[in-house]
Amino acid sequence: MKSRYVESDARKLVEGYAARSVPEDIALRVYTTRLLGGDPKLVLHGGGNTSVKTRTIDLMGEPADVLCVKGSGWDMAAIEPAGLPAVRLDALRRLRARDALTDEETVAVQRANLIDPSAPNPSVETLLHAFMPHKFVDHTHATAVLSLIDQPNGIELCREVYDGRMGIVPYIMPGFALAKTSAEVYEAAPEVIGLILHKHGIFTFGESAREAYERMIEMVSLAEARLQRNRKAAFVTAQMPQTTASVAQVAPVIRGACAMKDHGGEGAHRRLVMEFRAGEAVLNYVNGADVARYSQAGVVTPDHTIRTKNWPLVVPAPDAGRPEEFRTAVEAAVARFAADYRRYFERNNARVGGIKKMLDPMPRVVLVPGVGLFGLGRSLGAARIAADLAEAAVEAITDAEAIGTFESISEADMFDVEYWSLEQAKLGKEAEKPLAGQIAAITGAGGAIGAATARAFAAAGAEVALLDNDLAAATLKAQAIGRHALPVPCDVTDAASVRAAFDTVASAFGGLDILVSNAGAAWQGRIGEVDEDVLRRSFELNFYGHQRAAQAAVKIMLAQGTGGCLLFNVSKQAVNPGQNFGPYGLPKAATLFLVRQYALDYGADGIRANAVNADRIRSGLLDDTMIAARAKARGVDEKDYMRGNLLGREVTAEDVAQAFVAQALALRTTADVTTVDGGNIAAAMR
Ligand SMILES: [Zn+2]
């Protein structure tokens, strides 16, 4: 590992901030915090913190000695001065005289001594920073250091590698007791340049930002060098099936098994989204004959617990030729995992006096020999964090096993961190959106109604895939949504293209819960004279296109076993034909009956099928030129033409999108047709 400190970059940042009245100490603290945060081998997803001791002017205009320490919720790679709240240093240091201090008391003292009362909560490791005398203090959970210290003889290994340059602190969970013991370890050997926190991570100190940072790099490099010496052979690979099933095949089975019944009532599920990883290191790890031992030994650093749980779920390698066998094995494995988790909770909750409330018992990391690993979360963002941390654990455990035997903290210690109130607070308390954990695919998402629908589902909390045969259009619309919206090429008139698109969705998110089958186009012609070829082309898109998409969606939904929702953009034409619109209305009428057939055939599987009949929506089907022509033909202006309905209001793509969202949420409604046309008695359903 090399230092990435560049003097001219640091200067540039100092000068830039100086122009905005940010002092040099803070600017340099920002600079090296970003360097640390930008290297995943040092810091992942909030797993580290930094501080600087400096002097500031308080709200009364008086000078105050403060500790500026990373605030909760800030990402080190993108930290700004506002992410380093200033706390009065003397108040923090006076706490050292106490014998004990609860986490709640610590947080209260820290908040009461913030210079800016609206600043974020200082890091949970603030006291440790405060008790050290050094101006700059850096803390990471560097992967190489974890490989060294997550060993039965980790302390001896550190003595050998660091030769008295680092103090060694036994494992204690973060908080007051750890800060106090760390200070004692430091004071017993004040020549040390940092501390190793056994089975947790590493601190380095410096009088300058550069010194503390470069000491971190040097100490981690020493760990890396040690990991290259006296390595045992890599994991022995277990016997694998001749052909393993694909990610798209295994993901929905696992996702379905990990969904829970929800208190929302019958048919409601609490689902997770999945992120897949399969690099060389991951495959080497999950394929190991001994994976059941080393993967179940616990976390590589307690910081991972809230995101990954303490243990991943291991399922058998999926034989492509025996999908039912795999499904049964996965269901049994998940049930065992949940039962073990309940027992773990009850055992440890009894130890702490029965005061904790159990989190959901489902895995957050699943290892699939022959395939790879999945991170699971209530959103793709959370799933990606779990997958990133799982990959870091794979690396740390692989290296730990190469030089010895991986060993974690005790079960009781893991529980104390998992159910530590301050860690739970990191997960955030904001109310979940109504479609959180659900995955929606929208066909024709490059167009006006499809894009509005994708936006509406994303706003309701779903992960969205935008399918369109115009990938550039789908990509633009996906980018506008941001988050994790995924553009996917899909021509619904081509069976292979539909299969590939739905495989892509299942691989990218783990499955599918909602299909909005929206792709369509209008053909015209007087029915007695129209060319048969025109009619067939329209049926290919406006009927078979819906059937192909629905069939592909149902396949994934049945694999999950948690129901689902098929939504179809039918049309007013399906019930109220327009003159010369036969080639468009006829397949749409067939699609209306397709909705009813799906509702009938799959109701028992919890799969609902509903339709929206929309009319006169400004879109690719009804563009400005057509609007002008039709308005003229009827002798009205364009505005009146668009408002030609009972309510006298123009109906928009957003109105159609909201109708789809409402249908997705209505768990007791199937075979329904919702009319979104501003009122048209001739097109009314009943
Ligand atoms: Zn830490």
Side-chain angles (χ1 to χ4, degrees), residues 432-520:
E432 279 198 325
K433 293 187 172 154
L435 292 175
Q438 300 213 44
I439 300 156
I442 298 100
T443 68
I449 293 176
T453 303
R455 268 200 309 277
F457 275 90
E463 304 298 339
V464 294
L466 289 84
L467 279 53
D468 204 294
N469 62 353
D470 181 349
L471 181 61
T475 303
L476 267 177
K477 308 293 186 190
Q479 280 164 350
I481 293 170
R483 270 203 336 158
H484 306 114
L486 178 74
V488 181
C490 180
D491 175 358
V492 296
T493 64
D494 174 359
S497 169
V498 171
R499 270 197 303 276
F502 282 79
D503 278 358
T504 301
V505 174
S507 306
F509 298 110
L512 180 70
D513 306 298
I514 299 157
L515 164 69
V516 183
S517 188
N518 163 71

Side-chain angles (χ1 to χ4, degrees), residues 399-421:
D399 281 341
E401 289 276 314
I403 63 157
T405 308
F406 170 64
E407 187 187 78
S408 182
I409 51 177
S410 72
E411 178 188 288
D413 284 330
M414 285 192 269
F415 178 88
D416 289 346
V417 172
E418 185 176 4
Y419 283 89
W420 182 25
S421 52

